[in-house]
Amino acid sequence: MSRRHVVVVGAGPAGLAAADAALAAGARVTLVDSAERPGGQYHRMLPDAYEAANPEVLHHGWAAFDRRVRRVLAHDRCTWLAGTSVWALEREDPARAPLVHVLGEGSPGRRGVLTPDALVLAPGAHDRVLPFPGWELPGVFTAGAAQALAKGERVAVGERVAVAGTGPFLLPVAVSLLEAGSQVAEVLEAAGGARVTRGWLRRPWELAAQAGKTGELVSYTAALARARVPYLLGRAVVEARGDGRVEEIVSARVRADWSVVPGSERVTAVDAVCVGHGFTPRLELLVAAGCAVRGGTPDAVFVQVDDDQLTSSPGVYAAGEVTGIAGAPASRAEGAVAGWHAAGGAPSARPLTALRRGRDQGRAFAGRLAAAHPIGREWPGWLRDDTVVCRCEESDYASVRAAAGDPATTEARVAKLGTRAGLGPCQGRMCAVTVAELRARLGAPDADAAAPHRRPLAEPVRLGELAAPAREYDG
Ligand SMILES: Cc1cc2nc3c(=O)[nH]c(=O)nc-3n(C[C@H](O)[C@H](O)[C@H](O)COP(=O)(O)OP(=O)(O)OC[C@H]3O[C@@H](n4cnc5c(N)ncnc54)[C@H](O)[C@@H]3O)c2cc1C
């Protein structure tokens, strides 16, 4: 019997749900993830070698996740490609899903190509950090990196740590740090109290519809209160200082637009600071697949999907954080809808109604949280001429500003060569959105909001690997 072959990229909440639904609808599934274990960011699993007695510590919804992992990975129609990255998509036939080029970890020559009937892209997001003087010092971590080390390795990034930025994600990060053994000196939320209260408590019946996520937030708040961690609203880290590594941070009260209130600066001694200003979707594969995006500014661009999670690109579905930052429950619902349709499941299947409702409620909940924690327009006021903007290449704010005002470098690509911002090992994953936003504010005519995500090669590939013959996987 000929079955549809569905390739799912990403084994986070969205990709796992997509694989599960596609299997239920009768497809053959190849599930690919660059990580060794499924789970993505939300269910970051400890390595097997740790032989953890309680792997569920620090996790919500572990039992359901564990059941799903076992069901999907043990399924006889599922091929699980762990430690395998998708480095390129190639469309041979405009009416069909693109070929998927994968690369296994380790030795050169482990290059392969998958030929799906339908593709579900669920690669998630990166965490975003706005630059400030001193953020290049050792001891400054992204909130996501600190969370990953705590959850995935049980490693604490410091003994006395501050958590700063904006958004509800700061809460689980602070709690993970406590669990990993750090003392959390303070949590600094840049959004003001009135805005946060309005955003969180407006239309309380919507909170009831998201009981799981609301319960999670309440449990984090309670854990911080028990540990007597100060949670300060309307305050931001505007500088990190130290001799060779972070020894102290300077925080300041900020107005609604995140301009600093003069005289409100205060110094706190810490040996690490974890900073997060929301998330940036990982759009490179979607842009490479030719999927249309929505959102007109570089800091708010997501892939466009219809009610079935189908993108504008034939045979390509998208789910999870790439369609909008809406949290794990919404990602799971989106993944299930995408996987079912990618597999050719009946469009009138009953469970779809509940899944779509869950997805829409999740998106609404996330929308109100995002509205409570917007990035203030005046954050560039924290920058000085010598503030590093691209940490890989150490490009500073003065060079980005000069390039934006120079008629010879008005083209974003030319400016990139001139400033080197975005040319280092992370290929702009950390700084490209920030540089694009700064250039827009400085009047440079960069029109394309998706430009920071244009990376035809999504992962580094060695010449030896390219030269070696590719293995064909038929799923
Ligand atoms: C660092 C970080 C930590 C987070 N921690 C939390 C948390 O503790 N609590 C919370 O509520 N929310 C957290 N979030 C938000 C969280 O990402 C989502 O709510 C949820 O995990 C999104 O699910 P997803 O399936 O869309 O993406 P993810 O969970 O991010 O899964 C995406 C998967 O795709 C894989 N992938 C990406 N690109 C490729 C490629 N080219 N080839 C192969 N595989 C690829 C990744 O390895 C990853 O496993 C975190 C986000 C980030 C960025």
Side-chain angles (χ1 to χ4, degrees):
M1 179 180 166
S2 159
R3 295 181 180 273
R4 276 173 78 75
H5 178 203
V6 175
V7 171
V8 179
V9 181
L16 268 174
D20 203 4
L23 289 165
R28 284 185 298 129
V29 171
T30 304
L31 178 61
V32 189
D33 202 302
S34 41
E36 288 298 336
R37 310 286 307 268
Q41 303 290 1
Y42 189 73
H43 286 298
R44 186 175 283 279
M45 294 169 79
L46 288 168
D48 280 339
Y50 284 41
E51 295 175 357
N54 298 309
E56 70 280 10
V57 174
L58 291 178
H59 287 269
H60 288 89
W62 178 266
F65 162 71
D66 192 44
R67 274 197 305 276
R68 173 165 274 169
V69 169
R70 289 171 197 274
R71 187 164 62 234
V72 169
L73 300 198
H75 202 289
D76 59 1
R77 277 185 275 113
C78 180
T79 304
W80 162 230
L81 299 182
T84 302
S85 296
V86 176
W87 63 274
L89 298 175
E90 179 191 5
R91 195 179 288 280
E92 283 191 323
D93 176 348
R96 286 180 52 97
L99 302 182
V100 180
H101 290 277
V102 296
L103 195 64
E105 260 177 8
S107 60
R110 292 188 52 210
R111 191 161 72 77
V113 59
L114 299 155
T115 46
D117 295 307
L119 180 61
V120 179
L121 294 175
H126 301 289
D127 50 353
R128 179 152 190 231
V129 177
L130 300 174
F132 51 87
W135 78 307
E136 72 281 11
L137 281 173
V140 179
F141 293 84
T142 68
Q147 167 84 332
L149 283 167
K151 254 185 174 176
E153 303 284 338
R154 299 285 193 268
V155 167
V157 293
E159 282 180 15
R160 185 174 153 79
V161 188
V163 178
T166 192
F169 183 49
L170 301 183
L171 302 176
V173 172
V175 172
S176 300
L177 285 164
L178 288 174
E179 298 267 359
S182 299
Q183 181 204 344
V184 179
E186 53 192 10
V187 178
L188 305 175
E189 164 58 64
R195 184 182 270 277
V196 172
T197 311
R198 226 178 20 249
W200 286 47
L201 299 184
R202 206 169 34 112
R203 299 200 298 272
W205 58 92
E206 282 183 5
L207 292 177
Q210 287 292 294
K213 214 61 197 159
T214 307
E216 244 180 72
L217 291 172
V218 170
S219 79
Y220 294 138
T221 314
L224 293 181
R226 271 197 307 276
R228 299 184 188 284
V229 175
Y231 178 70
L232 305 175
L233 291 147
R235 188 164 269 277
V237 168
V238 293
E239 186 178 355
R241 296 176 187 158
D243 186 8
R245 62 161 298 116
V246 174
E247 290 165 5
E248 59 188 32
I249 51 165
V250 180
S251 67
R253 242 174 346 104
V254 290
R255 304 186 183 94
D257 62 4
W258 290 18
S259 55
V260 168
V261 176
S264 65
E265 292 86 350
R266 162 160 85 55
V267 173
T268 309
V270 291
D271 61 356
V273 54
C274 305
V275 197
H277 298 100
F279 298 105
T280 307
R282 295 174 71 158
L283 289 180
E284 53 258 274
L285 292 176
L286 294 124
V287 171
C291 304
V293 297
R294 62 180 175 83
T297 56
D299 62 331
V301 59
F302 296 98
V303 72
Q304 205 174 292
V305 286
D306 69 8
D307 203 38
D308 296 342
Q309 301 296 132
L310 179 63
T311 70
S312 66
S313 185
V316 181
Y317 294 78
E321 308 283 57
V322 285
T323 73
I325 306 299
S331 296
R332 276 194 293 268
E334 289 194 1
V337 173
W340 182 263
H341 286 288
S348 55
R350 233 198 289 126
L352 284 175
T353 311
L355 285 168
R356 287 201 173 98
R357 194 183 322 114
R359 173 194 65 189
D360 296 344
Q361 284 169 344
R363 285 179 181 167
F365 181 68
R368 57 190 280 169
L369 292 189
H373 300 272
I375 290 181
R377 258 189 70 74
E378 295 306 320
W379 70 265
W382 308 341
L383 305 180
R384 301 181 192 140
D385 276 358
D386 63 353
T387 302
V388 166
V389 172
C390 164
R391 294 209 291 193
C392 298
E393 292 290 312
E394 298 186 353
S395 317
D396 62 20
Y397 180 46
S399 70
V400 171
R401 204 180 43 215
D406 179 351
T409 54
T410 47
E411 238 277 356
R413 283 187 54 234
V414 180
K416 189 170 176 179
L417 294 173
T419 60
R420 298 205 52 81
L423 288 177
C426 91
Q427 288 288 291
R429 286 175 178 82
M430 285 302 293
C431 71
V433 168
T434 292
V435 171
E437 193 185 331
L438 286 174
R439 284 178 57 77
R441 288 177 55 107
L442 293 163
D446 304 356
D448 181 4
H453 305 282
R454 219 172 280 294
R455 279 180 214 102
L457 300 193
E459 301 282 331
V461 52
R462 299 185 191 99
L463 288 175
E465 285 161 341
L466 265 184
R471 178 178 156 201
E472 296 235 348
Y473 293 94
D474 64 2

mmCIF file with all atom_site columns, all heavy atoms in Angstrom, residues 191-212:
data_model
loop_
_atom_site.group_PDB
_atom_site.id
_atom_site.type_symbol
_atom_site.label_atom_id
_atom_site.label_alt_id
_atom_site.label_comp_id
_atom_site.label_asym_id
_atom_site.label_entity_id
_atom_site.label_seq_id
_atom_site.pdbx_PDB_ins_code
_atom_site.Cartn_x
_atom_site.Cartn_y
_atom_site.Cartn_z
_atom_site.occupancy
_atom_site.B_iso_or_equiv
_atom_site.pdbx_formal_charge
_atom_site.auth_seq_id
_atom_site.auth_comp_id
_atom_site.auth_asym_id
_atom_site.auth_atom_id
_atom_site.pdbx_PDB_model_num
ATOM 1   N N   . ALA A 1 191 ? 8.754   45.854 31.765 1.00 0.00 ? 191 ALA A N   1
ATOM 2   C CA  . ALA A 1 191 ? 7.387   46.393 31.615 1.00 0.00 ? 191 ALA A CA  1
ATOM 3   C C   . ALA A 1 191 ? 6.910   46.942 32.960 1.00 0.00 ? 191 ALA A C   1
ATOM 4   O O   . ALA A 1 191 ? 7.231   46.388 34.017 1.00 0.00 ? 191 ALA A O   1
ATOM 5   C CB  . ALA A 1 191 ? 6.454   45.302 31.124 1.00 0.00 ? 191 ALA A CB  1
ATOM 6   N N   . GLY A 1 192 ? 6.129   48.015 32.889 1.00 0.00 ? 192 GLY A N   1
ATOM 7   C CA  . GLY A 1 192 ? 5.631   48.647 34.117 1.00 0.00 ? 192 GLY A CA  1
ATOM 8   C C   . GLY A 1 192 ? 4.473   47.866 34.731 1.00 0.00 ? 192 GLY A C   1
ATOM 9   O O   . GLY A 1 192 ? 3.804   47.080 34.051 1.00 0.00 ? 192 GLY A O   1
ATOM 10  N N   . GLY A 1 193 ? 4.244   48.100 36.029 1.00 0.00 ? 193 GLY A N   1
ATOM 11  C CA  . GLY A 1 193 ? 3.223   47.366 36.773 1.00 0.00 ? 193 GLY A CA  1
ATOM 12  C C   . GLY A 1 193 ? 1.831   47.503 36.172 1.00 0.00 ? 193 GLY A C   1
ATOM 13  O O   . GLY A 1 193 ? 1.096   46.519 36.040 1.00 0.00 ? 193 GLY A O   1
ATOM 14  N N   . ALA A 1 194 ? 1.462   48.736 35.768 1.00 0.00 ? 194 ALA A N   1
ATOM 15  C CA  . ALA A 1 194 ? 0.094   48.956 35.274 1.00 0.00 ? 194 ALA A CA  1
ATOM 16  C C   . ALA A 1 194 ? -0.125  48.153 33.994 1.00 0.00 ? 194 ALA A C   1
ATOM 17  O O   . ALA A 1 194 ? -1.155  47.493 33.818 1.00 0.00 ? 194 ALA A O   1
ATOM 18  C CB  . ALA A 1 194 ? -0.121  50.446 35.007 1.00 0.00 ? 194 ALA A CB  1
ATOM 19  N N   . ARG A 1 195 ? 0.870   48.171 33.124 1.00 0.00 ? 195 ARG A N   1
ATOM 20  C CA  . ARG A 1 195 ? 0.715   47.461 31.844 1.00 0.00 ? 195 ARG A CA  1
ATOM 21  C C   . ARG A 1 195 ? 0.628   45.942 32.057 1.00 0.00 ? 195 ARG A C   1
ATOM 22  O O   . ARG A 1 195 ? -0.209  45.259 31.472 1.00 0.00 ? 195 ARG A O   1
ATOM 23  C CB  . ARG A 1 195 ? 1.897   47.776 30.914 1.00 0.00 ? 195 ARG A CB  1
ATOM 24  C CG  . ARG A 1 195 ? 1.723   47.153 29.553 1.00 0.00 ? 195 ARG A CG  1
ATOM 25  C CD  . ARG A 1 195 ? 2.920   47.438 28.689 1.00 0.00 ? 195 ARG A CD  1
ATOM 26  N NE  . ARG A 1 195 ? 2.812   48.642 27.929 1.00 0.00 ? 195 ARG A NE  1
ATOM 27  C CZ  . ARG A 1 195 ? 2.176   48.737 26.761 1.00 0.00 ? 195 ARG A CZ  1
ATOM 28  N NH1 . ARG A 1 195 ? 1.567   47.690 26.257 1.00 0.00 ? 195 ARG A NH1 1
ATOM 29  N NH2 . ARG A 1 195 ? 2.138   49.871 26.114 1.00 0.00 ? 195 ARG A NH2 1
ATOM 30  N N   . VAL A 1 196 ? 1.487   45.424 32.949 1.00 0.00 ? 196 VAL A N   1
ATOM 31  C CA  . VAL A 1 196 ? 1.484   43.981 33.199 1.00 0.00 ? 196 VAL A CA  1
ATOM 32  C C   . VAL A 1 196 ? 0.152   43.562 33.814 1.00 0.00 ? 196 VAL A C   1
ATOM 33  O O   . VAL A 1 196 ? -0.476  42.591 33.382 1.00 0.00 ? 196 VAL A O   1
ATOM 34  C CB  . VAL A 1 196 ? 2.674   43.587 34.101 1.00 0.00 ? 196 VAL A CB  1
ATOM 35  C CG1 . VAL A 1 196 ? 2.578   42.131 34.538 1.00 0.00 ? 196 VAL A CG1 1
ATOM 36  C CG2 . VAL A 1 196 ? 3.998   43.827 33.369 1.00 0.00 ? 196 VAL A CG2 1
ATOM 37  N N   . THR A 1 197 ? -0.326  44.319 34.810 1.00 0.00 ? 197 THR A N   1
ATOM 38  C CA  . THR A 1 197 ? -1.581  43.967 35.472 1.00 0.00 ? 197 THR A CA  1
ATOM 39  C C   . THR A 1 197 ? -2.726  44.007 34.460 1.00 0.00 ? 197 THR A C   1
ATOM 40  O O   . THR A 1 197 ? -3.562  43.098 34.415 1.00 0.00 ? 197 THR A O   1
ATOM 41  C CB  . THR A 1 197 ? -1.870  44.968 36.619 1.00 0.00 ? 197 THR A CB  1
ATOM 42  O OG1 . THR A 1 197 ? -0.685  45.083 37.392 1.00 0.00 ? 197 THR A OG1 1
ATOM 43  C CG2 . THR A 1 197 ? -3.002  44.497 37.498 1.00 0.00 ? 197 THR A CG2 1
ATOM 44  N N   . ARG A 1 198 ? -2.762  45.073 33.651 1.00 0.00 ? 198 ARG A N   1
ATOM 45  C CA  . ARG A 1 198 ? -3.821  45.196 32.641 1.00 0.00 ? 198 ARG A CA  1
ATOM 46  C C   . ARG A 1 198 ? -3.783  44.009 31.671 1.00 0.00 ? 198 ARG A C   1
ATOM 47  O O   . ARG A 1 198 ? -4.789  43.378 31.382 1.00 0.00 ? 198 ARG A O   1
ATOM 48  C CB  . ARG A 1 198 ? -3.609  46.497 31.855 1.00 0.00 ? 198 ARG A CB  1
ATOM 49  C CG  . ARG A 1 198 ? -4.871  47.300 31.673 1.00 0.00 ? 198 ARG A CG  1
ATOM 50  C CD  . ARG A 1 198 ? -4.702  48.614 30.952 1.00 0.00 ? 198 ARG A CD  1
ATOM 51  N NE  . ARG A 1 198 ? -3.546  48.830 30.128 1.00 0.00 ? 198 ARG A NE  1
ATOM 52  C CZ  . ARG A 1 198 ? -2.563  49.673 30.410 1.00 0.00 ? 198 ARG A CZ  1
ATOM 53  N NH1 . ARG A 1 198 ? -2.595  50.352 31.547 1.00 0.00 ? 198 ARG A NH1 1
ATOM 54  N NH2 . ARG A 1 198 ? -1.559  49.855 29.586 1.00 0.00 ? 198 ARG A NH2 1
ATOM 55  N N   . GLY A 1 199 ? -2.574  43.668 31.200 1.00 0.00 ? 199 GLY A N   1
ATOM 56  C CA  . GLY A 1 199 ? -2.436  42.602 30.206 1.00 0.00 ? 199 GLY A CA  1
ATOM 57  C C   . GLY A 1 199 ? -2.801  41.231 30.769 1.00 0.00 ? 199 GLY A C   1
ATOM 58  O O   . GLY A 1 199 ? -3.467  40.442 30.121 1.00 0.00 ? 199 GLY A O   1
ATOM 59  N N   . TRP A 1 200 ? -2.392  40.972 32.008 1.00 0.00 ? 200 TRP A N   1
ATOM 60  C CA  . TRP A 1 200 ? -2.594  39.630 32.567 1.00 0.00 ? 200 TRP A CA  1
ATOM 61  C C   . TRP A 1 200 ? -4.011  39.452 33.092 1.00 0.00 ? 200 TRP A C   1
ATOM 62  O O   . TRP A 1 200 ? -4.567  38.367 32.982 1.00 0.00 ? 200 TRP A O   1
ATOM 63  C CB  . TRP A 1 200 ? -1.606  39.370 33.707 1.00 0.00 ? 200 TRP A CB  1
ATOM 64  C CG  . TRP A 1 200 ? -0.209  39.111 33.250 1.00 0.00 ? 200 TRP A CG  1
ATOM 65  C CD1 . TRP A 1 200 ? 0.496   39.833 32.322 1.00 0.00 ? 200 TRP A CD1 1
ATOM 66  C CD2 . TRP A 1 200 ? 0.663   38.061 33.671 1.00 0.00 ? 200 TRP A CD2 1
ATOM 67  N NE1 . TRP A 1 200 ? 1.744   39.299 32.164 1.00 0.00 ? 200 TRP A NE1 1
ATOM 68  C CE2 . TRP A 1 200 ? 1.889   38.211 32.978 1.00 0.00 ? 200 TRP A CE2 1
ATOM 69  C CE3 . TRP A 1 200 ? 0.542   37.013 34.585 1.00 0.00 ? 200 TRP A CE3 1
ATOM 70  C CZ2 . TRP A 1 200 ? 2.972   37.351 33.160 1.00 0.00 ? 200 TRP A CZ2 1
ATOM 71  C CZ3 . TRP A 1 200 ? 1.626   36.164 34.774 1.00 0.00 ? 200 TRP A CZ3 1
ATOM 72  C CH2 . TRP A 1 200 ? 2.813   36.332 34.060 1.00 0.00 ? 200 TRP A CH2 1
ATOM 73  N N   . LEU A 1 201 ? -4.577  40.497 33.688 1.00 0.00 ? 201 LEU A N   1
ATOM 74  C CA  . LEU A 1 201 ? -5.843  40.290 34.408 1.00 0.00 ? 201 LEU A CA  1
ATOM 75  C C   . LEU A 1 201 ? -7.089  40.695 33.614 1.00 0.00 ? 201 LEU A C   1
ATOM 76  O O   . LEU A 1 201 ? -8.206  40.419 34.043 1.00 0.00 ? 201 LEU A O   1
ATOM 77  C CB  . LEU A 1 201 ? -5.818  41.027 35.753 1.00 0.00 ? 201 LEU A CB  1
ATOM 78  C CG  . LEU A 1 201 ? -4.711  40.539 36.703 1.00 0.00 ? 201 LEU A CG  1
ATOM 79  C CD1 . LEU A 1 201 ? -4.801  41.245 38.047 1.00 0.00 ? 201 LEU A CD1 1
ATOM 80  C CD2 . LEU A 1 201 ? -4.770  39.024 36.910 1.00 0.00 ? 201 LEU A CD2 1
ATOM 81  N N   . ARG A 1 202 ? -6.930  41.340 32.478 1.00 0.00 ? 202 ARG A N   1
ATOM 82  C CA  . ARG A 1 202 ? -8.077  41.689 31.641 1.00 0.00 ? 202 ARG A CA  1
ATOM 83  C C   . ARG A 1 202 ? -8.760  40.400 31.149 1.00 0.00 ? 202 ARG A C   1
ATOM 84  O O   . ARG A 1 202 ? -8.096  39.404 30.933 1.00 0.00 ? 202 ARG A O   1
ATOM 85  C CB  . ARG A 1 202 ? -7.559  42.497 30.443 1.00 0.00 ? 202 ARG A CB  1
ATOM 86  C CG  . ARG A 1 202 ? -8.518  43.435 29.811 1.00 0.00 ? 202 ARG A CG  1
ATOM 87  C CD  . ARG A 1 202 ? -7.775  44.331 28.838 1.00 0.00 ? 202 ARG A CD  1
ATOM 88  N NE  . ARG A 1 202 ? -6.671  43.620 28.192 1.00 0.00 ? 202 ARG A NE  1
ATOM 89  C CZ  . ARG A 1 202 ? -6.650  43.306 26.907 1.00 0.00 ? 202 ARG A CZ  1
ATOM 90  N NH1 . ARG A 1 202 ? -7.636  43.631 26.127 1.00 0.00 ? 202 ARG A NH1 1
ATOM 91  N NH2 . ARG A 1 202 ? -5.606  42.669 26.389 1.00 0.00 ? 202 ARG A NH2 1
ATOM 92  N N   . ARG A 1 203 ? -10.048 40.406 30.988 1.00 0.00 ? 203 ARG A N   1
ATOM 93  C CA  . ARG A 1 203 ? -10.832 39.268 30.483 1.00 0.00 ? 203 ARG A CA  1
ATOM 94  C C   . ARG A 1 203 ? -10.411 37.946 31.160 1.00 0.00 ? 203 ARG A C   1
ATOM 95  O O   . ARG A 1 203 ? -9.851  37.041 30.532 1.00 0.00 ? 203 ARG A O   1
ATOM 96  C CB  . ARG A 1 203 ? -10.692 39.150 28.971 1.00 0.00 ? 203 ARG A CB  1
ATOM 97  C CG  . ARG A 1 203 ? -11.194 40.380 28.219 1.00 0.00 ? 203 ARG A CG  1
ATOM 98  C CD  . ARG A 1 203 ? -11.495 40.072 26.777 1.00 0.00 ? 203 ARG A CD  1
ATOM 99  N NE  . ARG A 1 203 ? -10.346 39.644 26.009 1.00 0.00 ? 203 ARG A NE  1
ATOM 100 C CZ  . ARG A 1 203 ? -9.509  40.466 25.365 1.00 0.00 ? 203 ARG A CZ  1
ATOM 101 N NH1 . ARG A 1 203 ? -9.731  41.772 25.402 1.00 0.00 ? 203 ARG A NH1 1
ATOM 102 N NH2 . ARG A 1 203 ? -8.500  39.992 24.682 1.00 0.00 ? 203 ARG A NH2 1
ATOM 103 N N   . PRO A 1 204 ? -10.703 37.823 32.478 1.00 0.00 ? 204 PRO A N   1
ATOM 104 C CA  . PRO A 1 204 ? -10.215 36.660 33.234 1.00 0.00 ? 204 PRO A CA  1
ATOM 105 C C   . PRO A 1 204 ? -10.735 35.330 32.696 1.00 0.00 ? 204 PRO A C   1
ATOM 106 O O   . PRO A 1 204 ? -10.102 34.298 32.904 1.00 0.00 ? 204 PRO A O   1
ATOM 107 C CB  . PRO A 1 204 ? -10.707 36.920 34.660 1.00 0.00 ? 204 PRO A CB  1
ATOM 108 C CG  . PRO A 1 204 ? -11.588 38.100 34.594 1.00 0.00 ? 204 PRO A CG  1
ATOM 109 C CD  . PRO A 1 204 ? -11.408 38.790 33.304 1.00 0.00 ? 204 PRO A CD  1
ATOM 110 N N   . TRP A 1 205 ? -11.899 35.311 31.980 1.00 0.00 ? 205 TRP A N   1
ATOM 111 C CA  . TRP A 1 205 ? -12.410 34.031 31.471 1.00 0.00 ? 205 TRP A CA  1
ATOM 112 C C   . TRP A 1 205 ? -11.437 33.410 30.451 1.00 0.00 ? 205 TRP A C   1
ATOM 113 O O   . TRP A 1 205 ? -11.394 32.205 30.304 1.00 0.00 ? 205 TRP A O   1
ATOM 114 C CB  . TRP A 1 205 ? -13.805 34.218 30.855 1.00 0.00 ? 205 TRP A CB  1
ATOM 115 C CG  . TRP A 1 205 ? -13.853 35.221 29.732 1.00 0.00 ? 205 TRP A CG  1
ATOM 116 C CD1 . TRP A 1 205 ? -13.707 34.964 28.405 1.00 0.00 ? 205 TRP A CD1 1
ATOM 117 C CD2 . TRP A 1 205 ? -14.057 36.622 29.851 1.00 0.00 ? 205 TRP A CD2 1
ATOM 118 N NE1 . TRP A 1 205 ? -13.794 36.125 27.680 1.00 0.00 ? 205 TRP A NE1 1
ATOM 119 C CE2 . TRP A 1 205 ? -14.026 37.161 28.539 1.00 0.00 ? 205 TRP A CE2 1
ATOM 120 C CE3 . TRP A 1 205 ? -14.282 37.499 30.931 1.00 0.00 ? 205 TRP A CE3 1
ATOM 121 C CZ2 . TRP A 1 205 ? -14.183 38.521 28.284 1.00 0.00 ? 205 TRP A CZ2 1
ATOM 122 C CZ3 . TRP A 1 205 ? -14.450 38.842 30.656 1.00 0.00 ? 205 TRP A CZ3 1
ATOM 123 C CH2 . TRP A 1 205 ? -14.392 39.346 29.354 1.00 0.00 ? 205 TRP A CH2 1
ATOM 124 N N   . GLU A 1 206 ? -10.623 34.242 29.804 1.00 0.00 ? 206 GLU A N   1
ATOM 125 C CA  . GLU A 1 206 ? -9.630  33.679 28.876 1.00 0.00 ? 206 GLU A CA  1
ATOM 126 C C   . GLU A 1 206 ? -8.549  32.904 29.647 1.00 0.00 ? 206 GLU A C   1
ATOM 127 O O   . GLU A 1 206 ? -7.996  31.937 29.151 1.00 0.00 ? 206 GLU A O   1
ATOM 128 C CB  . GLU A 1 206 ? -8.958  34.795 28.068 1.00 0.00 ? 206 GLU A CB  1
ATOM 129 C CG  . GLU A 1 206 ? -9.815  35.301 26.939 1.00 0.00 ? 206 GLU A CG  1
ATOM 130 C CD  . GLU A 1 206 ? -9.085  36.359 26.106 1.00 0.00 ? 206 GLU A CD  1
ATOM 131 O OE1 . GLU A 1 206 ? -7.889  36.628 26.349 1.00 0.00 ? 206 GLU A OE1 1
ATOM 132 O OE2 . GLU A 1 206 ? -9.731  36.913 25.219 1.00 0.00 ? 206 GLU A OE2 1
ATOM 133 N N   . LEU A 1 207 ? -8.271  33.361 30.866 1.00 0.00 ? 207 LEU A N   1
ATOM 134 C CA  . LEU A 1 207 ? -7.283  32.661 31.691 1.00 0.00 ? 207 LEU A CA  1
ATOM 135 C C   . LEU A 1 207 ? -7.802  31.272 32.051 1.00 0.00 ? 207 LEU A C   1
ATOM 136 O O   . LEU A 1 207 ? -7.052  30.297 32.051 1.00 0.00 ? 207 LEU A O   1
ATOM 137 C CB  . LEU A 1 207 ? -7.007  33.444 32.984 1.00 0.00 ? 207 LEU A CB  1
ATOM 138 C CG  . LEU A 1 207 ? -6.285  34.776 32.831 1.00 0.00 ? 207 LEU A CG  1
ATOM 139 C CD1 . LEU A 1 207 ? -6.166  35.452 34.193 1.00 0.00 ? 207 LEU A CD1 1
ATOM 140 C CD2 . LEU A 1 207 ? -4.887  34.560 32.254 1.00 0.00 ? 207 LEU A CD2 1
ATOM 141 N N   . ALA A 1 208 ? -9.113  31.192 32.327 1.00 0.00 ? 208 ALA A N   1
ATOM 142 C CA  . ALA A 1 208 ? -9.705  29.892 32.690 1.00 0.00 ? 208 ALA A CA  1
ATOM 143 C C   . ALA A 1 208 ? -9.548  28.908 31.533 1.00 0.00 ? 208 ALA A C   1
ATOM 144 O O   . ALA A 1 208 ? -9.288  27.716 31.742 1.00 0.00 ? 208 ALA A O   1
ATOM 145 C CB  . ALA A 1 208 ? -11.177 30.079 33.053 1.00 0.00 ? 208 ALA A CB  1
ATOM 146 N N   . ALA A 1 209 ? -9.686  29.402 30.301 1.00 0.00 ? 209 ALA A N   1
ATOM 147 C CA  . ALA A 1 209 ? -9.558  28.515 29.136 1.00 0.00 ? 209 ALA A CA  1
ATOM 148 C C   . ALA A 1 209 ? -8.128  28.006 28.984 1.00 0.00 ? 209 ALA A C   1
ATOM 149 O O   . ALA A 1 209 ? -7.896  27.012 28.310 1.00 0.00 ? 209 ALA A O   1
ATOM 150 C CB  . ALA A 1 209 ? -9.988  29.255 27.873 1.00 0.00 ? 209 ALA A CB  1
ATOM 151 N N   . GLN A 1 210 ? -7.186  28.681 29.608 1.00 0.00 ? 210 GLN A N   1
ATOM 152 C CA  . GLN A 1 210 ? -5.780  28.262 29.527 1.00 0.00 ? 210 GLN A CA  1
ATOM 153 C C   . GLN A 1 210 ? -5.296  27.857 30.910 1.00 0.00 ? 210 GLN A C   1
ATOM 154 O O   . GLN A 1 210 ? -4.238  28.291 31.374 1.00 0.00 ? 210 GLN A O   1
ATOM 155 C CB  . GLN A 1 210 ? -4.915  29.428 29.000 1.00 0.00 ? 210 GLN A CB  1
ATOM 156 C CG  . GLN A 1 210 ? -5.102  29.702 27.532 1.00 0.00 ? 210 GLN A CG  1
ATOM 157 C CD  . GLN A 1 210 ? -4.559  28.567 26.677 1.00 0.00 ? 210 GLN A CD  1
ATOM 158 O OE1 . GLN A 1 210 ? -3.370  28.312 26.640 1.00 0.00 ? 210 GLN A OE1 1
ATOM 159 N NE2 . GLN A 1 210 ? -5.430  27.864 25.989 1.00 0.00 ? 210 GLN A NE2 1
ATOM 160 N N   . ALA A 1 211 ? -6.090  27.007 31.571 1.00 0.00 ? 211 ALA A N   1
ATOM 161 C CA  . ALA A 1 211 ? -5.820  26.691 32.972 1.00 0.00 ? 211 ALA A CA  1
ATOM 162 C C   . ALA A 1 211 ? -4.400  26.149 33.164 1.00 0.00 ? 211 ALA A C   1
ATOM 163 O O   . ALA A 1 211 ? -3.722  26.491 34.129 1.00 0.00 ? 211 ALA A O   1
ATOM 164 C CB  . ALA A 1 211 ? -6.844  25.690 33.473 1.00 0.00 ? 211 ALA A CB  1
ATOM 165 N N   . GLY A 1 212 ? -3.923  25.323 32.237 1.00 0.00 ? 212 GLY A N   1
ATOM 166 C CA  . GLY A 1 212 ? -2.595  24.723 32.380 1.00 0.00 ? 212 GLY A CA  1
ATOM 167 C C   . GLY A 1 212 ? -1.518  25.779 32.427 1.00 0.00 ? 212 GLY A C   1
ATOM 168 O O   . GLY A 1 212 ? -0.686  25.819 33.340 1.00 0.00 ? 212 GLY A O   1
#
